[in-house]
Amino acid sequence: MAPHPARKAATAEHDDAHRTAAALMHDFAVRTGVVGAAPAQRYLWTDAFAVCNFLALDEVDNAERLIEQVHATLGRHRADDARSGWIGGMDAQTAIEHPTRGGLRIGKPLPERAVDALPDAELEWERDGQYFHYLTRWMHALDQFARRTGQADAGRWARELAQTAHRAFTYAPAPGAPMRMYWKMRIDLSAPLVDTMGQHDPLDGLITDLQLRAHKPPGRTGFGPDLDVELREMAAIVAGTNLLTDDPLGIGGLLVDAYRLAQLLRVRPGDNPLLGLVAGAAANGLARYLATQPFARPLSHRLAFRELGLAIGLQAVTRLWCVLERESASLDAQPALRGALDRLLEQVPLARTLTDTWCEVARSDDAQWRAHEDINAVMLATALVPTGYIELDGSASSSSNSQL
């Protein structure tokens, strides 16, 4: 029997997306030294998405090579720094076993701000340091690699990084006061560079900690920190935050977080109050964003990677619905969550519009695209083949529900 025309068209579309993503990732790998003779150019956010893309494309060797490069480059002090060696001060053998114990640099072009220099808000965007939300992306990438390959070391490195980051970035402003988080730390994690709190950093930390703890194989010892303390403290910080944003990248992050949470909560995820808060914030934020008519602006006034972050998140919406529709009674008891999902589902086709738009730009010689080519290309590849980033292999432990 011949394949149904619609199914044949869907298969062709899938194959085309896969080929485009593979070409984007090949060029990125050559351009940034993952393969070939070019010097390694590592940037933690982009590289976290790239690891997940290589997994989605069944290029495990490239994912492993990239992980090694990130640790060897961003786990060490910069070449133009008076300090040298591993950020955490480890010797070579310890660093092989625990490469994330000191954290990982962002990979910004300029060195971090001098201790005696006055802050410059604009310049700080180009200066190195450590970002919590970049570290959580790398924890996620390591965990995805461990789940896919069974290499336990990668999972342990993710949990060790989670513990290190939590200790460095969280603090109590005064005895007994609610805990807060710094947005940006010095390379050696000795002091904050920006002491305001990233809006979604606590949520990223909470869900990533839950993800990492869920993957710990039963009965295994030496698999890294259990993260129970980190989970409890991060949950308390999340309880005091406002998740609503009209930033497309932030909305996309909320949607991915909602789907990760639903995958991790095996027992009636629709009953979890945090899931409703995250989905509601994403739906309300997306409505606010679309009300500004962002796509009526010229492409030269738009940032590809931010819109592609939204495209990635929208592709998690249908998957989230599939997880929750199995418990329709639970959803019926939560009209706000059902309403948020309904509004989000209406916007899912926007993901295809965004990927088509930026695929066309990527094929042109657009100067703005080239100015941010690595992050744009890698996130476009994620939007085309999102499974490596948004789908978790394996199942959560039955105790995960009790922590939220």
Side-chain angles (χ1 to χ4, degrees), residues 166 170 179 202 205-207 209-210 213 226-240 400 402-404:
H166 185 90
T170 61
M179 294 187 70
L206 175 62
I207 296 179
D209 287 346
L210 179 64
R213 196 191 64 164
D226 59 25
L227 302 180
D228 286 348
V229 171
E230 289 79 4
L231 269 169
R232 288 194 298 271
E233 293 182 351
M234 202 63 77
I237 302 175
V238 170
S400 295
S402 64
Q403 294 296 323
L404 298 173

Side-chain angles (χ1 to χ4, degrees), residues 149-348:
T149 66
Q151 294 192 29
D153 281 349
R156 175 170 52 80
W157 297 335
R159 279 181 289 281
E160 290 176 347
L161 181 56
Q163 185 178 70
T164 292
H166 185 90
R167 289 174 175 174
F169 280 83
T170 61
Y171 69 101
M179 294 187 70
R180 300 277 296 171
M181 297 183 69
Y182 298 120
W183 186 64
K184 185 178 183 182
M185 297 291 293
R186 291 197 171 278
I187 286 173
D188 62 5
L189 298 176
S190 60
L193 286 165
V194 180
D195 58 9
T196 54
M197 185 167 71
Q199 184 181 15
H200 294 155
D201 282 7
L203 180 68
D204 285 342
L206 175 62
I207 296 179
T208 303
D209 287 346
L210 179 64
Q211 175 183 331
L212 300 183
R213 196 191 64 164
H215 184 215
K216 184 176 180 180
R220 283 291 299 271
T221 59
F223 208 59
D226 59 25
L227 302 180
D228 286 348
V229 171
E230 289 79 4
L231 269 169
R232 288 194 298 271
E233 293 182 351
M234 202 63 77
I237 302 175
V238 170
T241 60
N242 176 12
L243 300 177
L244 182 64
T245 179
D246 59 2
D247 169 58
L249 183 60
I251 296 165
L254 287 175
L255 293 173
V256 173
D257 279 346
Y259 182 49
R260 282 202 294 164
L261 185 59
Q263 292 176 86
L264 291 164
L265 301 173
R266 293 193 310 176
V267 182
R268 299 178 68 84
D271 286 341
N272 186 273
L274 181 59
L275 182 58
L277 289 174
V278 175
N284 292 334
L286 183 56
R288 288 191 182 189
Y289 173 63
L290 294 177
T292 68
Q293 299 185 316
F295 310 123
R297 295 194 290 266
L299 283 172
S300 59
H301 294 179
R302 295 160 57 180
L303 288 175
F305 67 89
R306 304 198 81 83
E307 293 187 7
L308 290 166
L310 175 59
I312 295 164
L314 286 170
Q315 293 185 77
V317 172
T318 305
R319 293 168 167 88
L320 174 60
W321 178 259
C322 290
V323 171
L324 295 179
E325 71 173 350
R326 296 194 296 268
E327 47 169 293
S328 56
S330 175
L331 277 178
D332 289 341
Q334 297 190 75
L337 175 57
R338 182 179 284 279
L341 285 172
D342 287 342
R343 285 184 288 150
L344 289 166
L345 283 167
E346 291 176 358
Q347 301 302 332
V348 167

